[in-house]
Each structure stands twice: as structure tokens, then as C-alpha cells.
Amino acid sequence: MGDVETTDQGGEHRAYIGSFTSGGGRGITTAAVDPATGALTPVAAVDAFPNPSSLALAPGTGLLYAVSETDDGAVAAFRPTAAGLDPLGAAVPVDGSGPTHLSLCGQRLLTANYTSGSVSSLPLTADGSPGGPPSVLAHQGSGPDRDRQETPHAHQVLPDPSGRWVLSVDLGTDSVRVCALDPETGALRTHAETALRAGSGPRHLAFHPDGTVVYVVHELEPQLTVCRWNAASGQLEPVGEVPVTSGGAPGAERDYPSTLVVSPDGRFLWVAIRGADAIATLSLSGRAEKPQLTDAVPCGGSWPRDLVSDPSGRRLYVSNEWSGNVTWFEVDPLTGRPRRSGQVEVPAAACVVFS
């Protein structure tokens, strides 16, 4: 696979914004990124692929991968061009329903299938497009919340920093599975399963830059679980819990954290919180295993589904699904506090990735 163009003709880096076409979104929007201000300027959109709610860029090639969060889940690849994006082959079924997240692990494309409660592994062909058939690992189990946890609901899947293991976060079973990826067949096999607090609904995790600490954010309880990670043995050990909100008044709207970001220098952690529509800042300066909630600021919209940092780590970008905008924030290097500096309209925004 050869290198592809990842900047526009003016030399600006690109951002790709996924959105729910079922909610009026434009599919995948290509935006130019102003290197001085971080401002996003949409330049093109591709709406032929339904509900691209999660995106991933391949290192080295610049190819963009997307899931279709639909009942008949699928993945597709796109080649960036000066004009936007060109499809690279046809969409490929993942043999799972409602995929909410995807990631790359070597020459495999992984998806977390929320509705069917499974994880799929698909091969990449010579040109980088996904192939089939997928290998599917079905999760088992349930949780105490009858409305949300009657069955497994895989919400995120990603490799660990060593590349030896794949971790899948399951909201329905209150657990994180550590899986091994067969180098010959690409099949996933459960190596270990770490139980978290019953009814907490784990949604996403992030690694500390040192690779030994994992933070798991929960959707059904506004908290983080801090875990030690042993890449040699593939073991994830919970060591503590930390609230990500200061607690609301009685009868206040319930909070539903969505995702989290750790700063590249390992000093701060940020959590997007739906309901409160806020970004919480936690300090890691004292000790990576002891996050401390220091601040929270409005996210600049409604229902922040996704939160990412730009490649420099100096800015944060929030995809506000219900208000239909992407907001961006400058990060104070001393306190980690985000300061809002701009926004762009993106109906039913779901995620942002940067080239």
C-alpha cells in the first residue's frame, strides 16, 4: 500500500468527522484544519455510507476506515484525495449488529458490535480495503440494569500499546475482556475477563502513556475505574474508582459519560459527560493511579458523544450529537482546563479523527 495525500492543496492537515445519516448527518465530512487556531473548515462530504459513527486512520497509508452503525453492520475504507474521499472497494459486513467502534491491529480491522454483543475481526486486502469473511467472538453475560444490560453490549475494541492483546469493553456485562489475536487466522480468543462494578456499564477505556495504567469510563455511573495493566501476562487489575462529576442536586438530570482522553504527557485526563453536557478535567500529576477531579466546563453543545485531542495534544474537540456541532478547546498547559475557542455546524456529529 502506497502513501496517500493527507493534506489539502494549501498544506493544511485534514480532519474527518463522522455523523449519523439517520439523524440528518452528512456521513463523513472532510475538513481543513487551521494549524494556528485549530479551526475546522468543511470542504467535502460523503453520505453514501450510512451512520459512520466511528472512524480510524491507518498509520502510514492515510486510509480511512468507518463502521456503519446499523442493524446490518458493515465497514468500509476510503482513500483521501485533494477533493475529499473516494470509496476503496465495497462495504463489507461485520456479521454483527450496531457496530459502535473500530480499530486497527496489524493487518486486521476490529469492530465492537453493540447490539449483537460481539467483536469482529476482518482481514485487510493488499490495497488496504477490508475483506471477509469476518471472524466473530460473541460475548456472554448480562448485568443488573434490565433496561440496558439484559444482553452483552460490546462498545469499544482496541489493541493495547504492546500490540500483543486486544481489549473489548462491554457495557452489558460490566466487564473488560482481554483477547488474543491468532496471527494466522485473525480469530479472537478470550484470554481473561475483568469484572467491574455491577450496573456501572463500562463504555470506553484509555491507556496512560506509560502503558501500565488503564482508565475505564462508565456510562451508567459517572465514574472511572483505574486499572493496572500487565502486558506481559495480559492481566487487567482494578485498583480504584474515581467520580467524574461533583454530584448534582436531587432530581437533576442523570449523567451519562461517553468517552475519555489522556494527554500525551500523561498529566491530565478529560471525560465527556452527556446530560451535564460538560468536559471534566482530572489531574494525573500526583500519581497515574490516583486521578483527581479538578474542574468541569460546558462542552459547547448537547450530548457530547465523542472527545478527542488533536495530534499536538494542545486542543480538544467535542462531537455534540444532539446540537449538531463540533466544538474545540485550547488546553491550559498548567491546569489542563479547556477553554472554548470555536465551533462548526455538523448535524448529528459522532466522532472526529485527524490525519
Side-chain angles (χ1 to χ4, degrees):
M1 296 181 289
D3 290 341
V4 299
E5 183 68 39
T6 58
T7 58
D8 69 10
Q9 293 177 333
E12 294 178 328
H13 287 282
R14 293 290 179 89
Y16 301 100
I17 308 168
S19 60
F20 287 97
T21 56
S22 60
R26 305 180 183 116
I28 305 173
T29 298
T30 300
V33 184
D34 187 310
T37 66
L40 304 183
T41 302
V43 297
V46 176
D47 64 0
F49 190 61
N51 291 351
S53 64
S54 181
L55 306 174
L57 276 162
T61 70
L63 293 179
L64 181 72
Y65 298 94
V67 298
S68 176
E69 190 175 335
T70 57
D71 289 341
D72 299 320
V75 292
F78 299 85
R79 185 181 295 279
T81 69
L85 292 170
D86 285 342
L88 184 63
V92 177
V94 301
D95 290 356
S97 180
T100 58
H101 186 259
L102 84 166
S103 62
L104 290 154
C105 185
Q107 290 300 303
R108 307 292 296 193
L109 187 63
L110 310 175
T111 69
N113 310 314
Y114 179 84
T115 306
S116 56
S118 61
V119 176
S120 299
S121 169
L122 298 95
L124 298 179
T125 62
D127 67 356
S129 59
S135 173
V136 179
L137 175 66
H139 289 184
Q140 304 293 329
S142 61
D145 188 324
R146 294 186 178 182
D147 292 331
R148 299 293 308 278
Q149 296 182 311
E150 285 192 350
T151 62
H153 291 302
H155 211 295
Q156 184 196 35
V157 59
L158 76 168
D160 83 311
S162 75
R164 295 182 57 188
W165 308 100
V166 171
L167 282 71
S168 61
V169 184
D170 196 301
L171 186 150
T173 63
D174 292 317
S175 63
V176 177
R177 287 168 176 80
V178 179
C179 301
L181 187 67
D182 188 299
E184 299 296 328
T185 67
L188 289 166
R189 172 184 57 82
T190 301
H191 167 75
E193 183 174 0
T194 299
L196 302 177
R197 179 189 293 275
S200 62
R203 179 181 170 102
H204 273 205
L205 64 77
F207 285 87
H208 189 273
D210 70 8
T212 66
V213 180
V214 170
Y215 308 99
V216 185
V217 69
H218 299 265
E219 177 169 337
L220 303 183
E221 290 185 1
Q223 67 173 29
L224 287 174
T225 296
V226 182
C227 303
R228 293 192 185 114
W229 170 244
N230 187 326
S233 62
Q235 298 297 318
L236 188 70
E237 177 193 3
V239 294
E241 296 176 354
V242 180
V244 297
T245 66
S246 58
E253 184 176 1
R254 185 173 176 181
D255 293 327
Y256 297 90
S258 59
T259 194
L260 69 168
V261 174
V262 181
S263 64
D265 61 11
R267 296 173 55 225
F268 303 106
L269 184 156
W270 299 279
V271 179
I273 304 172
R274 298 164 300 174
D277 291 337
I279 306 170
T281 301
L282 292 92
S283 172
L284 305 176
S285 297
R287 185 181 172 193
E289 292 185 6
K290 298 289 185 180
Q292 292 186 330
L293 179 65
T294 61
D295 202 359
V297 300
C299 69
S302 176
W303 211 247
R305 180 182 174 88
D306 190 47
L307 172 69
V308 297
S309 65
D310 70 351
S312 73
R314 294 184 290 115
R315 299 185 183 95
L316 294 172
Y317 291 76
V318 183
S319 299
N320 297 300
E321 181 183 351
W322 288 2
S323 56
N325 63 330
V326 173
T327 50
W328 52 90
F329 298 75
E330 300 286 341
V331 173
D332 186 302
L334 296 179
T335 66
R337 179 184 174 89
R339 178 180 58 83
R340 183 177 169 184
S341 57
Q343 70 168 31
V344 65
E345 178 186 352
V346 182
C351 65
V352 179
V353 297
F354 291 89
S355 63

